């Protein structure tokens, strides 16, 4: 237990580490019986939002803002939704709701969700993406850049219609990103399991399950898994769009 007045959380120009001891709950506009924890938002410098929704049984989600798409990942509990043939999602289940699409969400039990939202950016000549529902348990992990100890699960279709990707990365202890990445895409990340060290810019942070990270565009980034358990994280990135705007 740390002495009061200290935290591992850090907010910097091009990255942030938000640890659970810093989480602050507040009502989510339009949601019933739900507490939200806004983790990453445009006021921080991001172009997207990441938040946790802590729902009581029977809680109902409000809609995303106009023009905003939403990706929901179930951390705990069971939720009911109105899309597709199987209408419930448990831990590891996820749902992508395109901008302007009405899909209802209701907590069947107490539930905790991680949500990413961004304004949808259309691509001329490409139709808007369709809703997606799935379970991480059904997605095969692929060795990242040839490393079988760093497995990447891609939760959304890798198609130009989608302007976002949400992936799960699982690392055996000792496995690491093979390079210090510097890229135009930004990330929102939730550590789901294990621990390790994240390099963000010129700082190295010990991280563990429950921690949240924002990486701005071009923030140098690298991770090594440490400890005895597999480490894993869920992360968002913006993809498939020209940095200068639409290309017909
Ligand atoms: O997809 C990515 O950019 C990923 N390799 N980045 C990361 O894990 N920090
Ligand atoms: Mn990256």
């Amino acid at each position: 237990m740390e002495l009061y007045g200290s935290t591992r959380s850090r907010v910097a120009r091009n990255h942030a580490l938000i640890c659970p001891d810093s989480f602050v709950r507040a009502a989510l506009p339009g949601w019933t019986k739900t507490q939200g924890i806004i983790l990453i938002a445009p006021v921080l410098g991001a172009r997207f939002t990441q938040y946790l929704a802590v729902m009581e049984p029977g809680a109902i989600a409000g809609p995303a803002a106009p023009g905003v798409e939403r990706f929901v990942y179930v951390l705990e509990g069971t939720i009911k939704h109105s899309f597709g043939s199987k209408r419930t999602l448990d831990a590891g289940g996820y749902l992508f709701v395109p901008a302007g699409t009405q899909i209802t969400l209701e907590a069947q039990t107490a539930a905790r969700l991680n949500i990413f939202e961004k304004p949808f950016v259309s691509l001329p000549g490409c139709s808007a993406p369709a809703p997606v529902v799935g379970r991480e348990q059904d997605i095969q992990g692929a060795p990242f850049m040839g490393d079988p100890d760093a497995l990447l699960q891609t939760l959304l279709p890798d198609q130009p219609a989608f302007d976002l990707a949400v992936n799960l990365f699982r690392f055996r202890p000792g496995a690491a990103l093979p390079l210090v990445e510097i890229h135009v895409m930004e990330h929102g990340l939730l550590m789901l399991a294990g621990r390790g060290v994240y390099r963000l810019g010129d700082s190295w942070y010990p991280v563990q399950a429950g921690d949240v990270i924002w990486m701005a565009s071009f923030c140098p980034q690298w991770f090594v898994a440490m400890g005895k358990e597999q480490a894993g994280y869920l992360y968002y990135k913006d993809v498939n769009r020209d940095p200068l705007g639409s290309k017909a």
Side-chain angles (χ1 to χ4, degrees):
M1 182 69 173
E2 286 198 50
L3 184 61
Y4 49 76
S6 59
T7 178
R8 291 184 296 111
S9 300
R10 288 285 177 274
V11 177
R13 182 193 63 78
N14 64 353
H15 66 270
L17 169 65
I18 317 275
C19 303
D21 60 282
S22 303
F23 290 179
V24 174
R25 295 182 179 208
L28 284 174
W31 295 55
T32 68
K33 296 203 281 183
T34 302
Q35 293 269 287
I37 302 155
I38 309 287
L39 301 160
I40 300 172
V43 283
L44 186 60
R47 299 185 297 275
F48 69 99
T49 300
Q50 178 177 352
Y51 59 99
L52 299 179
V54 183
M55 304 176 85
E56 293 174 30
I60 295 177
V68 170
E69 58 196 352
R70 173 183 280 174
F71 182 96
V72 176
Y73 177 88
V74 182
L75 296 165
E76 279 170 31
T78 303
I79 58 166
K80 291 191 280 186
H81 61 86
S82 59
F83 172 70
S85 48
K86 187 173 176 292
R87 298 291 178 92
T88 59
L89 289 173
D90 302 312
Y94 60 90
L95 181 64
F96 169 69
V97 184
T101 306
Q102 296 308 313
I103 296 178
T104 58
L105 271 185
E106 181 180 339
Q108 199 163 51
T109 65
R112 240 163 38 90
L113 314 178
N114 179 91
I115 298 178
F116 298 109
E117 289 184 353
K118 80 180 282 294
F120 172 61
V121 179
S122 62
L123 189 63
C126 191
S127 44
V132 178
V133 64
R135 297 166 71 234
E136 71 155 280
Q137 295 85 340
D138 298 333
I139 310 277
Q140 181 99 31
F144 186 66
M145 297 177 76
D147 183 354
D149 293 332
L151 293 179
L152 189 70
Q153 291 164 278
T154 306
L155 304 186
L156 288 175
D158 182 13
Q159 294 167 1
F162 289 83
D163 67 343
L164 79 170
V166 180
N167 303 331
L168 273 161
F169 226 144
R170 307 251 180 218
F171 297 81
R172 283 233 178 93
L177 284 177
L179 67 157
V180 178
E181 297 179 3
I182 300 179
H183 51 59
V184 69
M185 301 80 97
E186 64 178 339
H187 291 316
L189 178 157
L190 173 65
M191 288 292 298
L192 294 177
R195 46 181 57 186
V197 174
Y198 232 104
R199 174 182 174 165
L200 300 167
D202 289 332
S203 302
W204 281 257
Y205 299 98
V207 294
Q208 64 183 5
D211 292 352
V212 170
I213 295 173
W214 169 58
M215 293 170 241
S217 295
F218 296 103
C219 176
Q221 56 197 255
W222 177 82
F223 177 69
V224 61
M226 297 181 72
K228 300 201 188 259
E229 295 162 43
Q230 178 177 256
Y233 56 75
L234 174 76
Y235 73 99
Y236 154 91
K237 70 200 267 192
D238 49 320
V239 294
N240 291 331
R241 295 295 180 268
D242 189 285
L244 290 178
S246 63
K247 280 244 172 91

